[in-house]
């Protein structure tokens, strides 16, 4: 059975707090009882010693007599507190004995204390013990005091009431803490679950095709904030991909429609006898079919380089030497547009597929030539680093608008939206470049300012 996150968080938080409070209460109860028992035992011993000190002053050495009235009152008071005393003079003669005075009351007190302790502390196994103290005056012994009480300790009614009150207080604190924990857990769970639920709702709408939706809540929890940002980035990416997909359909249709229409109209005119099948007209049809074949070939190349199982025949490749070879291949086109192309830098050997890397440089230089104005310049620079080699191709052509810079590596994307035949191409050259670079474990970046030119930087690992 599935439960809401808020319910699970609240229950879990309350359970943790309940366990913590129970452990704290149990530990506190045990420790307090132990300390209280120790305190009571010490108090009983201390009280017995104080009784001996107090009764020693009740002997009148001058008269040789004891103050029996005081001793009687003191003995009866002590009996009510569970102490049974017996006083002897220096010769061992009984001066006052609680049992002789009221044996029934003594037995009753002893029985009540024993029963009470056996019921409340059966593990104690206590019993009445007798302690003997010397009564001294001016350095001499004037008598002896025997004190009988329940050992190792016993609780009176006040002591039991104190322990009961303590247990009730701990229980009340536990209940209040548990209630507070449940409330705090519910509030915390709502704070955590609300943005998660909102994120779930947004991702559901994204899955249904609503790519324009965004998470706009101000979340102050770092992980949830990162989650919301990731969802927004995903939505932005999917929205961009959807735009590109729609444009791809339009672009492919545009690229194929024109040559197909030209071929169809020419053939129709020849079939109906309007035109003669001259070599020029047949050559025109052949050229249009070549354009279609070129688009299909470019798509096939892109499929090959984007294939996860693309095989790279790696070998040591000098990027500087490869760049010079590409420059030589473009000399006719450079002369046609009166462009200058300069290759600079140091030899930089990387481990890669020479044919694929040649295609990377070729496509970058091809774009630079296409979008450079007549009389401009192109620079190819190779930098040899410790672990990486960097290839830069820079032109001073028409540049790329800032809002389109992040889309140039998408297939069929071209900055010249009129798609003029003067620049040519199907707009997948940079997609092929990116796929090859990534297959080599490298990265490619682009910088551009509209009207000033563009710079493409390829970074490849040397080993």
């Amino acid at each position: 059975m599935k439960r809401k996150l808020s319910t699970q968080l609240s229950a879990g938080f309350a359970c943790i707090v309940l366990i913590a409070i129970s452990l704290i209460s149990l530990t506190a109860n045990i420790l307090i009882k132990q300390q209280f028992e120790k305190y009571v035992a010490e108090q009983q011993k201390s009280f017995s010693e104080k009784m001996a000190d107090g009764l020693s002053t009740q002997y009148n050495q001058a008269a040789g007599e004891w103050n029996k009235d005081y001793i009687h009152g003191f003995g009866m008071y002590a009996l009510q507190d569970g102490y049974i005393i017996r006083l002897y003079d220096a010769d061992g003669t009984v001066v006052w004995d609680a049992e002789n005075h009221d044996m029934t009351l003594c037995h009753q007190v002893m029985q009540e204390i024993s029963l009470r302790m056996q019921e409340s502390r059966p593990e104690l196994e206590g019993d009445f013990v007798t302690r003997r103290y010397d009564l001294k005056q001016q350095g001499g012994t004037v008598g002896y005091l025997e004190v009988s009480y329940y050992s190792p300790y016993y609780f009176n009614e006040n002591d039991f009431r104190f322990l009961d009150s303590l247990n009730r207080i701990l229980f009340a604190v536990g209940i209040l803490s548990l209630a507070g924990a449940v409330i705090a857990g519910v509030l915390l769970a709502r704070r955590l679950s609300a943005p998660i639920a909102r994120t779930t709702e947004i991702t559901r709408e994204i899955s249904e095709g609503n790519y324009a939706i965004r998470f706009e809540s101000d979340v102050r929890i770092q992980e949830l904030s990162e989650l919301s940002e990731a969802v927004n980035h995903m939505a932005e990416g999917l929205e961009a991909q959807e735009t590109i997909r729609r444009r791809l359909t339009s672009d492919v249709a545009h690229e194929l429609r024109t040559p197909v229409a030209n071929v169809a109209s020419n053939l129709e005119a020849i079939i109906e006898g309007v035109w003669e099948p001259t070599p020029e007209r047949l050559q025109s049809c052949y050229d249009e079919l070549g354009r279609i074949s070129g688009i299909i070939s470019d798509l096939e190349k892109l499929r090959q380089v984007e294939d996860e199982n693309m095989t790279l025949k790696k070998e040591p490749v000098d990027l500087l030497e490869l760049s010079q070879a590409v420059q030589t291949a473009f000399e006719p086109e450079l002369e046609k547009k009166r462009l200058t192309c300069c290759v600079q830098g140091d030899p930089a050997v990387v481990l890669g597929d020479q044919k694929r890397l040649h295609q990377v440089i070729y496509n970058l230089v091809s774009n630079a030539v296409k979008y450079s104005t007549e009389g401009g310049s192109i620079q190819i620079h190779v930098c040899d680093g410790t672990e990486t080699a960097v290839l830069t191709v820079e032109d001073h052509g028409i540049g790329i608008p800032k809002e389109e810079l992040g889309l140039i590596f998408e297939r069929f994307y071209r900055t010249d939206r009129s798609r003029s035949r003067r620049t040519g191409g199907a707009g997948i050259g940079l997609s092929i470049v990116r796929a090859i670079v990534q297959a080599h474990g490298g990265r490619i970046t682009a910088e551009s300012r509209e009207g000033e030119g563009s710079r493409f930087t390829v970074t490849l690992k040397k080993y």
Side-chain angles (χ1 to χ4, degrees), residues 5-15 17 177-193:
L5 177 62
S6 57
T7 303
Q8 295 187 21
L9 286 175
S10 301
F13 193 71
C15 183
V17 173
S177 300
L178 179 60
V182 171
I183 295 174
V186 170
L187 296 177
L188 178 62
R190 288 181 178 176
R191 185 179 180 185
L192 291 175
S193 61

Side-chain angles (χ1 to χ4, degrees), residues 333-334 336-341 364-379 393-399 422-423 452-454:
E333 294 188 40
L334 292 171
K336 189 181 298 183
K337 293 188 68 172
R338 294 184 292 110
L339 298 172
T340 59
C341 182
L364 292 177
V365 175
S366 176
N367 274 356
V369 172
K370 289 176 184 177
Y371 297 107
S372 291
T373 56
E374 290 191 9
S377 63
I378 299 172
Q379 290 84 37
V393 178
E394 183 175 3
D395 65 70
H396 300 281
I398 62 175
R422 181 176 60 83
T423 56
E452 297 183 10
S454 306

Side-chain angles (χ1 to χ4, degrees), residues 37-72:
E37 290 168 358
K38 183 178 179 181
Y39 166 77
V40 170
E42 291 177 353
Q43 285 295 106
Q44 289 174 348
K45 181 180 178 181
S46 175
F47 186 72
S48 299
E49 293 173 351
K50 289 180 179 179
M51 283 194 296
D53 292 338
L55 290 177
S56 65
T57 61
Q58 299 305 313
Y59 179 71
N60 188 338
Q61 289 187 353
E65 295 179 351
W66 290 87
N67 186 352
K68 293 183 179 181
D69 291 336
Y70 178 86
I71 295 172
H72 173 75

Side-chain angles (χ1 to χ4, degrees), residues 131-328:
R131 309 290 185 197
R132 185 181 178 92
Y133 301 93
D134 294 338
L135 305 181
K136 297 180 179 296
Q137 270 191 14
Q138 299 177 357
T141 301
V142 296
Y144 306 95
L145 178 68
E146 290 182 352
V147 182
S148 298
Y149 58 87
Y150 196 85
S151 180
Y153 63 86
Y154 70 92
F155 292 151
N156 56 32
E157 292 296 331
N158 292 330
D159 296 331
F160 278 112
R161 279 196 293 269
F162 169 77
L163 293 177
D164 290 341
S165 299
L166 176 64
N167 290 332
R168 284 194 294 271
I169 291 173
L170 291 176
F171 181 76
V173 170
I175 294 298
L176 293 175
S177 300
L178 179 60
V182 171
I183 295 174
V186 170
L187 296 177
L188 178 62
R190 288 181 178 176
R191 185 179 180 185
L192 291 175
S193 61
I196 294 177
R198 177 59 178 160
T199 303
T200 303
E201 180 183 349
I202 291 175
T203 53
R204 185 180 295 111
E205 291 197 30
I206 292 175
S207 67
E208 294 173 355
N210 182 10
Y211 303 128
I213 191 170
R214 297 292 184 272
F215 194 104
E216 299 179 354
S217 177
D218 182 17
V219 181
R220 298 184 179 181
I221 301 175
Q222 181 177 350
E223 289 77 5
L224 294 180
S225 177
E226 292 175 355
L227 175 62
S228 63
E229 290 177 1
V231 171
N232 286 342
H233 290 159
M234 179 184 68
E236 292 172 1
L238 289 174
E239 186 177 21
Q241 288 295 324
E242 178 64 14
T243 302
I244 293 171
R245 184 189 66 80
R246 292 176 180 176
R247 183 170 178 177
L248 170 62
T249 303
S250 174
D251 289 348
V252 171
H254 180 88
E255 290 290 340
L256 295 177
R257 183 187 303 112
T258 302
V260 169
N262 290 339
V263 172
S265 62
N266 288 343
L267 290 178
E268 183 181 2
I270 292 173
I271 292 172
E272 293 179 354
V274 178
W275 286 351
E276 291 290 331
T278 62
E280 292 79 9
R281 288 175 179 144
L282 292 177
Q283 182 64 44
S284 175
C285 292
Y286 180 79
D287 292 341
E288 295 297 335
L289 291 175
R291 286 186 61 195
I292 298 174
S293 177
I295 294 173
I296 296 173
S297 177
D298 286 343
L299 289 172
E300 179 63 22
K301 289 178 182 178
L302 182 60
R303 186 198 65 78
Q304 290 176 354
V305 297
E306 288 186 337
D307 191 344
E308 294 181 358
N309 299 320
M310 180 178 64
T311 302
L312 298 176
K313 297 179 180 179
K314 291 189 176 182
E315 58 182 329
V317 180
D318 187 348
L319 294 182
L320 183 63
E321 183 179 330
L322 207 59
S323 299
Q324 291 170 344
V326 172
Q327 178 197 28
T328 302

